[in-house]
Amino acid sequence: MRPALQLRLGQQLSLTPQLQQALKLLAMPQAQLEATLQLALDSNVMLETLDGSAEDDAREIEPDAEDEPTVEADWDSLESEGGWESQGGAALPDVDAPVILDLRQHLLAQLPECRFSAADTELALALIDALDEQGYLAEPSAAIADGLAVDAAEVEAVRHRLQRLDPVGTCSIDLADCLGVQLSELAPTTPALATARALVQHHIARLGRSEPATLATLLAVPVAEIDAALRLIRSLNPRPAAQLPAAATEYVRPDARVRRSAAGWTVELDLSGLPSLKVNEAYARALSSKSSRGANSDLRGQLSEARWLIKSLAMRNVTLLRVATAVVERQVEFLEHGPEALRPLLLREIAAKLELHESTVSRVTSGKWLLTPRGMFELRHFFSNQVPADAGGAVSATAARAVIQRLVAAEDARHPLSDEALVQALAGQGIRLARRTVTKYREALAIPASYERRTT
């Protein structure tokens, strides 16, 4: 075929800097939002704080038609165009990052090297947010896939790539997975590598209590080979996050509060720590005069930014209140009866109910805190995958962990419950879990094994 030029017409939507700003504000926790708004006040002469009068509180500020297009608070349409972090355009000033990075910050700094697509970046962020303090995945990747309405194989593919970031083994599902990844990164000529892999993959539970001779018999190799493999395994890091500093202690304020009234449970936003913004009307009127047209382009740009910032804040508050209210409506049993009554809930359920995109719900629930009569909880706490129960029912994984915690707290210290005994006790309460799952939940609760809990 001969090369030729063709003219094609098409339509394509893209995120403007203003919509990027709205999405950034939506994702910010309250402490970062407060700092960002204060920086905006300091740098934009068109912004000032409200004096608290009813007239100012009720005033609505809309962007001028000739300055900016009107945008509805339709997060679904915004999200469908891709992640805001991958787009260009002006950005709000960010809070300075600490010099010493915790695990999450350390992994986020390496993400650009992975060259993930926009969709895979969303999955990577969800996986990183689901890591516990040891660097392990705190919830099954299948649950994350369900929450984001994607195929589990896509989540697993991204997880395997994250496992090879520094520190190697992060984002593993259990100890065998973590050590196996670290072994796979060693040179093929490493002594006893194949034996170490076999021990980790098939006999991980025996490593702490079986003699080398027993392991040698199981694998049909010399005892010296087992000794070399065990030395190699001991050189690995079973807790990938241990070499990084723990995240700094953060004192959080609630973004919303739950109160019980005669009408039931109600949710109210808590914006007491945030400055209330308005446009400086004197400057705005001066710019709108005929004599100023065509001049003061910088001030006009600041006026447009101020109006969009105020509108974006309003969109954030409306979305946060809607999501928090929907979560509380679903988790009334938790508020009334405690952790064991927490119902299974996925991001996509709230997204479908509110006609939002799952990633919008993910952003609005991450780093946002809800003050309830039972304590302060991150909104993410109320989302949990389901585990099977008797009579075709289901309970949340969080509720199952609460039951395990209660059973261990009530056990006889001289005869503590083994993981198998916990499986039987849970089954007696209608909760069907595999022993491996019970072990994972117990470790996530920082509960030692039964032989470590035994007292004489």
PDB file of all heavy atoms in Angstrom, residues 29-55:
ATOM      1  N   PRO A  29      -7.100  14.206  52.621  1.00  0.00           N
ATOM      2  CA  PRO A  29      -7.573  14.154  54.009  1.00  0.00           C
ATOM      3  C   PRO A  29      -7.667  15.565  54.571  1.00  0.00           C
ATOM      4  O   PRO A  29      -7.111  16.509  54.014  1.00  0.00           O
ATOM      5  CB  PRO A  29      -6.486  13.334  54.716  1.00  0.00           C
ATOM      6  CG  PRO A  29      -5.275  13.485  53.865  1.00  0.00           C
ATOM      7  CD  PRO A  29      -5.758  13.645  52.461  1.00  0.00           C
ATOM      8  N   GLN A  30      -8.352  15.704  55.704  1.00  0.00           N
ATOM      9  CA  GLN A  30      -8.662  17.043  56.188  1.00  0.00           C
ATOM     10  C   GLN A  30      -7.422  17.859  56.542  1.00  0.00           C
ATOM     11  O   GLN A  30      -7.371  19.061  56.267  1.00  0.00           O
ATOM     12  CB  GLN A  30      -9.591  16.964  57.405  1.00  0.00           C
ATOM     13  CG  GLN A  30     -10.150  18.319  57.800  1.00  0.00           C
ATOM     14  CD  GLN A  30     -11.235  18.230  58.847  1.00  0.00           C
ATOM     15  OE1 GLN A  30     -11.056  18.706  59.948  1.00  0.00           O
ATOM     16  NE2 GLN A  30     -12.342  17.606  58.517  1.00  0.00           N
ATOM     17  N   ALA A  31      -6.401  17.234  57.133  1.00  0.00           N
ATOM     18  CA  ALA A  31      -5.199  17.978  57.506  1.00  0.00           C
ATOM     19  C   ALA A  31      -4.516  18.562  56.278  1.00  0.00           C
ATOM     20  O   ALA A  31      -4.095  19.726  56.274  1.00  0.00           O
ATOM     21  CB  ALA A  31      -4.246  17.068  58.273  1.00  0.00           C
ATOM     22  N   GLN A  32      -4.404  17.765  55.209  1.00  0.00           N
ATOM     23  CA  GLN A  32      -3.778  18.262  53.985  1.00  0.00           C
ATOM     24  C   GLN A  32      -4.655  19.308  53.323  1.00  0.00           C
ATOM     25  O   GLN A  32      -4.154  20.301  52.781  1.00  0.00           O
ATOM     26  CB  GLN A  32      -3.514  17.110  53.017  1.00  0.00           C
ATOM     27  CG  GLN A  32      -2.750  17.542  51.771  1.00  0.00           C
ATOM     28  CD  GLN A  32      -2.504  16.396  50.814  1.00  0.00           C
ATOM     29  OE1 GLN A  32      -2.951  15.278  51.054  1.00  0.00           O
ATOM     30  NE2 GLN A  32      -1.809  16.656  49.737  1.00  0.00           N
ATOM     31  N   LEU A  33      -5.978  19.105  53.375  1.00  0.00           N
ATOM     32  CA  LEU A  33      -6.884  20.083  52.784  1.00  0.00           C
ATOM     33  C   LEU A  33      -6.766  21.419  53.503  1.00  0.00           C
ATOM     34  O   LEU A  33      -6.752  22.485  52.864  1.00  0.00           O
ATOM     35  CB  LEU A  33      -8.322  19.563  52.853  1.00  0.00           C
ATOM     36  CG  LEU A  33      -9.401  20.492  52.308  1.00  0.00           C
ATOM     37  CD1 LEU A  33      -9.185  20.752  50.818  1.00  0.00           C
ATOM     38  CD2 LEU A  33     -10.789  19.912  52.554  1.00  0.00           C
ATOM     39  N   GLU A  34      -6.678  21.401  54.826  1.00  0.00           N
ATOM     40  CA  GLU A  34      -6.552  22.644  55.581  1.00  0.00           C
ATOM     41  C   GLU A  34      -5.286  23.390  55.190  1.00  0.00           C
ATOM     42  O   GLU A  34      -5.304  24.610  54.979  1.00  0.00           O
ATOM     43  CB  GLU A  34      -6.540  22.337  57.074  1.00  0.00           C
ATOM     44  CG  GLU A  34      -6.447  23.571  57.946  1.00  0.00           C
ATOM     45  CD  GLU A  34      -6.439  23.234  59.423  1.00  0.00           C
ATOM     46  OE1 GLU A  34      -6.600  22.044  59.765  1.00  0.00           O
ATOM     47  OE2 GLU A  34      -6.251  24.163  60.239  1.00  0.00           O
ATOM     48  N   ALA A  35      -4.166  22.656  55.082  1.00  0.00           N
ATOM     49  CA  ALA A  35      -2.911  23.293  54.690  1.00  0.00           C
ATOM     50  C   ALA A  35      -2.982  23.840  53.269  1.00  0.00           C
ATOM     51  O   ALA A  35      -2.470  24.924  52.972  1.00  0.00           O
ATOM     52  CB  ALA A  35      -1.761  22.288  54.812  1.00  0.00           C
ATOM     53  N   THR A  36      -3.642  23.097  52.377  1.00  0.00           N
ATOM     54  CA  THR A  36      -3.773  23.538  50.986  1.00  0.00           C
ATOM     55  C   THR A  36      -4.612  24.802  50.885  1.00  0.00           C
ATOM     56  O   THR A  36      -4.265  25.731  50.147  1.00  0.00           O
ATOM     57  CB  THR A  36      -4.406  22.413  50.150  1.00  0.00           C
ATOM     58  OG1 THR A  36      -3.557  21.264  50.174  1.00  0.00           O
ATOM     59  CG2 THR A  36      -4.590  22.853  48.705  1.00  0.00           C
ATOM     60  N   LEU A  37      -5.715  24.851  51.630  1.00  0.00           N
ATOM     61  CA  LEU A  37      -6.564  26.047  51.593  1.00  0.00           C
ATOM     62  C   LEU A  37      -5.840  27.253  52.180  1.00  0.00           C
ATOM     63  O   LEU A  37      -5.996  28.382  51.695  1.00  0.00           O
ATOM     64  CB  LEU A  37      -7.861  25.790  52.357  1.00  0.00           C
ATOM     65  CG  LEU A  37      -8.783  24.707  51.778  1.00  0.00           C
ATOM     66  CD1 LEU A  37     -10.060  24.612  52.608  1.00  0.00           C
ATOM     67  CD2 LEU A  37      -9.107  24.972  50.322  1.00  0.00           C
ATOM     68  N   GLN A  38      -5.033  27.029  53.220  1.00  0.00           N
ATOM     69  CA  GLN A  38      -4.284  28.138  53.801  1.00  0.00           C
ATOM     70  C   GLN A  38      -3.251  28.670  52.811  1.00  0.00           C
ATOM     71  O   GLN A  38      -3.050  29.884  52.690  1.00  0.00           O
ATOM     72  CB  GLN A  38      -3.599  27.691  55.089  1.00  0.00           C
ATOM     73  CG  GLN A  38      -2.961  28.827  55.874  1.00  0.00           C
ATOM     74  CD  GLN A  38      -3.962  29.907  56.246  1.00  0.00           C
ATOM     75  OE1 GLN A  38      -4.999  29.624  56.840  1.00  0.00           O
ATOM     76  NE2 GLN A  38      -3.674  31.151  55.883  1.00  0.00           N
ATOM     77  N   LEU A  39      -2.604  27.763  52.070  1.00  0.00           N
ATOM     78  CA  LEU A  39      -1.650  28.194  51.046  1.00  0.00           C
ATOM     79  C   LEU A  39      -2.352  28.969  49.939  1.00  0.00           C
ATOM     80  O   LEU A  39      -1.812  29.958  49.416  1.00  0.00           O
ATOM     81  CB  LEU A  39      -0.921  26.974  50.462  1.00  0.00           C
ATOM     82  CG  LEU A  39       0.144  26.327  51.350  1.00  0.00           C
ATOM     83  CD1 LEU A  39       0.665  25.052  50.711  1.00  0.00           C
ATOM     84  CD2 LEU A  39       1.291  27.293  51.621  1.00  0.00           C
ATOM     85  N   ALA A  40      -3.559  28.506  49.576  1.00  0.00           N
ATOM     86  CA  ALA A  40      -4.324  29.222  48.554  1.00  0.00           C
ATOM     87  C   ALA A  40      -4.689  30.624  49.035  1.00  0.00           C
ATOM     88  O   ALA A  40      -4.627  31.601  48.272  1.00  0.00           O
ATOM     89  CB  ALA A  40      -5.577  28.430  48.192  1.00  0.00           C
ATOM     90  N   LEU A  41      -5.059  30.750  50.305  1.00  0.00           N
ATOM     91  CA  LEU A  41      -5.363  32.072  50.861  1.00  0.00           C
ATOM     92  C   LEU A  41      -4.150  32.983  50.832  1.00  0.00           C
ATOM     93  O   LEU A  41      -4.250  34.181  50.548  1.00  0.00           O
ATOM     94  CB  LEU A  41      -5.867  31.923  52.300  1.00  0.00           C
ATOM     95  CG  LEU A  41      -7.350  31.612  52.500  1.00  0.00           C
ATOM     96  CD1 LEU A  41      -7.607  31.229  53.952  1.00  0.00           C
ATOM     97  CD2 LEU A  41      -8.209  32.809  52.100  1.00  0.00           C
ATOM     98  N   ASP A  42      -2.991  32.421  51.124  1.00  0.00           N
ATOM     99  CA  ASP A  42      -1.767  33.229  51.170  1.00  0.00           C
ATOM    100  C   ASP A  42      -1.295  33.655  49.792  1.00  0.00           C
ATOM    101  O   ASP A  42      -0.640  34.707  49.647  1.00  0.00           O
ATOM    102  CB  ASP A  42      -0.656  32.445  51.870  1.00  0.00           C
ATOM    103  CG  ASP A  42      -0.965  32.193  53.342  1.00  0.00           C
ATOM    104  OD1 ASP A  42      -1.814  32.915  53.885  1.00  0.00           O
ATOM    105  OD2 ASP A  42      -0.357  31.270  53.926  1.00  0.00           O
ATOM    106  N   SER A  43      -1.607  32.860  48.775  1.00  0.00           N
ATOM    107  CA  SER A  43      -1.053  33.131  47.445  1.00  0.00           C
ATOM    108  C   SER A  43      -2.040  33.783  46.486  1.00  0.00           C
ATOM    109  O   SER A  43      -1.635  34.284  45.436  1.00  0.00           O
ATOM    110  CB  SER A  43      -0.546  31.821  46.827  1.00  0.00           C
ATOM    111  OG  SER A  43      -1.598  30.879  46.682  1.00  0.00           O
ATOM    112  N   ASN A  44      -3.333  33.788  46.806  1.00  0.00           N
ATOM    113  CA  ASN A  44      -4.344  34.320  45.897  1.00  0.00           C
ATOM    114  C   ASN A  44      -5.034  35.512  46.563  1.00  0.00           C
ATOM    115  O   ASN A  44      -5.778  35.354  47.531  1.00  0.00           O
ATOM    116  CB  ASN A  44      -5.369  33.230  45.559  1.00  0.00           C
ATOM    117  CG  ASN A  44      -6.281  33.625  44.411  1.00  0.00           C
ATOM    118  OD1 ASN A  44      -6.564  34.800  44.197  1.00  0.00           O
ATOM    119  ND2 ASN A  44      -6.756  32.627  43.667  1.00  0.00           N
ATOM    120  N   VAL A  45      -4.813  36.708  46.025  1.00  0.00           N
ATOM    121  CA  VAL A  45      -5.386  37.917  46.631  1.00  0.00           C
ATOM    122  C   VAL A  45      -6.894  37.979  46.454  1.00  0.00           C
ATOM    123  O   VAL A  45      -7.564  38.765  47.129  1.00  0.00           O
ATOM    124  CB  VAL A  45      -4.744  39.184  46.019  1.00  0.00           C
ATOM    125  CG1 VAL A  45      -3.255  39.210  46.293  1.00  0.00           C
ATOM    126  CG2 VAL A  45      -5.013  39.262  44.512  1.00  0.00           C
ATOM    127  N   MET A  46      -7.431  37.172  45.569  1.00  0.00           N
ATOM    128  CA  MET A  46      -8.865  37.177  45.338  1.00  0.00           C
ATOM    129  C   MET A  46      -9.637  36.356  46.362  1.00  0.00           C
ATOM    130  O   MET A  46     -10.861  36.328  46.343  1.00  0.00           O
ATOM    131  CB  MET A  46      -9.174  36.652  43.927  1.00  0.00           C
ATOM    132  CG  MET A  46      -8.775  37.604  42.826  1.00  0.00           C
ATOM    133  SD  MET A  46      -9.781  39.104  42.892  1.00  0.00           S
ATOM    134  CE  MET A  46      -9.013  40.085  41.592  1.00  0.00           C
ATOM    135  N   LEU A  47      -8.931  35.648  47.251  1.00  0.00           N
ATOM    136  CA  LEU A  47      -9.579  34.833  48.262  1.00  0.00           C
ATOM    137  C   LEU A  47      -9.489  35.493  49.624  1.00  0.00           C
ATOM    138  O   LEU A  47      -8.471  36.113  49.957  1.00  0.00           O
ATOM    139  CB  LEU A  47      -8.917  33.449  48.337  1.00  0.00           C
ATOM    140  CG  LEU A  47      -9.304  32.421  47.278  1.00  0.00           C
ATOM    141  CD1 LEU A  47      -8.423  31.185  47.423  1.00  0.00           C
ATOM    142  CD2 LEU A  47     -10.775  32.040  47.383  1.00  0.00           C
ATOM    143  N   GLU A  48     -10.554  35.370  50.395  1.00  0.00           N
ATOM    144  CA  GLU A  48     -10.546  35.789  51.783  1.00  0.00           C
ATOM    145  C   GLU A  48     -11.502  34.902  52.552  1.00  0.00           C
ATOM    146  O   GLU A  48     -12.281  34.143  51.963  1.00  0.00           O
ATOM    147  CB  GLU A  48     -10.934  37.263  51.921  1.00  0.00           C
ATOM    148  CG  GLU A  48     -12.334  37.597  51.426  1.00  0.00           C
ATOM    149  CD  GLU A  48     -12.658  39.076  51.571  1.00  0.00           C
ATOM    150  OE1 GLU A  48     -11.755  39.840  51.972  1.00  0.00           O
ATOM    151  OE2 GLU A  48     -13.804  39.458  51.284  1.00  0.00           O
ATOM    152  N   THR A  49     -11.430  34.974  53.880  1.00  0.00           N
ATOM    153  CA  THR A  49     -12.289  34.126  54.698  1.00  0.00           C
ATOM    154  C   THR A  49     -13.603  34.820  54.982  1.00  0.00           C
ATOM    155  O   THR A  49     -13.692  36.054  55.018  1.00  0.00           O
ATOM    156  CB  THR A  49     -11.596  33.788  56.026  1.00  0.00           C
ATOM    157  OG1 THR A  49     -11.261  35.000  56.702  1.00  0.00           O
ATOM    158  CG2 THR A  49     -10.330  32.983  55.782  1.00  0.00           C
ATOM    159  N   LEU A  50     -14.637  34.006  55.195  1.00  0.00           N
ATOM    160  CA  LEU A  50     -15.946  34.545  55.552  1.00  0.00           C
ATOM    161  C   LEU A  50     -15.906  35.156  56.947  1.00  0.00           C
ATOM    162  O   LEU A  50     -15.163  34.695  57.819  1.00  0.00           O
ATOM    163  CB  LEU A  50     -16.995  33.436  55.517  1.00  0.00           C
ATOM    164  CG  LEU A  50     -17.347  32.862  54.132  1.00  0.00           C
ATOM    165  CD1 LEU A  50     -18.203  31.620  54.305  1.00  0.00           C
ATOM    166  CD2 LEU A  50     -18.087  33.877  53.298  1.00  0.00           C
ATOM    167  N   ASP A  51     -16.742  36.161  57.167  1.00  0.00           N
ATOM    168  CA  ASP A  51     -16.818  36.772  58.497  1.00  0.00           C
ATOM    169  C   ASP A  51     -17.855  36.118  59.375  1.00  0.00           C
ATOM    170  O   ASP A  51     -18.095  36.540  60.504  1.00  0.00           O
ATOM    171  CB  ASP A  51     -17.099  38.274  58.384  1.00  0.00           C
ATOM    172  CG  ASP A  51     -18.433  38.577  57.691  1.00  0.00           C
ATOM    173  OD1 ASP A  51     -19.207  37.621  57.466  1.00  0.00           O
ATOM    174  OD2 ASP A  51     -18.688  39.746  57.370  1.00  0.00           O
ATOM    175  N   GLY A  52     -18.496  35.061  58.850  1.00  0.00           N
ATOM    176  CA  GLY A  52     -19.453  34.319  59.663  1.00  0.00           C
ATOM    177  C   GLY A  52     -20.875  34.825  59.554  1.00  0.00           C
ATOM    178  O   GLY A  52     -21.771  34.293  60.206  1.00  0.00           O
ATOM    179  N   SER A  53     -21.144  35.857  58.766  1.00  0.00           N
ATOM    180  CA  SER A  53     -22.507  36.365  58.656  1.00  0.00           C
ATOM    181  C   SER A  53     -23.364  35.429  57.831  1.00  0.00           C
ATOM    182  O   SER A  53     -22.881  34.681  56.996  1.00  0.00           O
ATOM    183  CB  SER A  53     -22.498  37.752  58.004  1.00  0.00           C
ATOM    184  OG  SER A  53     -22.059  37.655  56.666  1.00  0.00           O
ATOM    185  N   ALA A  54     -24.667  35.466  58.094  1.00  0.00           N
ATOM    186  CA  ALA A  54     -25.582  34.579  57.366  1.00  0.00           C
ATOM    187  C   ALA A  54     -25.579  34.896  55.888  1.00  0.00           C
ATOM    188  O   ALA A  54     -25.737  34.016  55.053  1.00  0.00           O
ATOM    189  CB  ALA A  54     -26.991  34.718  57.949  1.00  0.00           C
ATOM    190  N   GLU A  55     -25.419  36.186  55.565  1.00  0.00           N
ATOM    191  CA  GLU A  55     -25.426  36.563  54.148  1.00  0.00           C
ATOM    192  C   GLU A  55     -24.247  35.938  53.425  1.00  0.00           C
ATOM    193  O   GLU A  55     -24.355  35.440  52.306  1.00  0.00           O
ATOM    194  CB  GLU A  55     -25.379  38.086  54.002  1.00  0.00           C
ATOM    195  CG  GLU A  55     -26.626  38.810  54.477  1.00  0.00           C
ATOM    196  CD  GLU A  55     -26.641  38.959  55.989  1.00  0.00           C
ATOM    197  OE1 GLU A  55     -25.588  38.694  56.611  1.00  0.00           O
ATOM    198  OE2 GLU A  55     -27.702  39.331  56.538  1.00  0.00           O
TER     199      GLU A  55
END
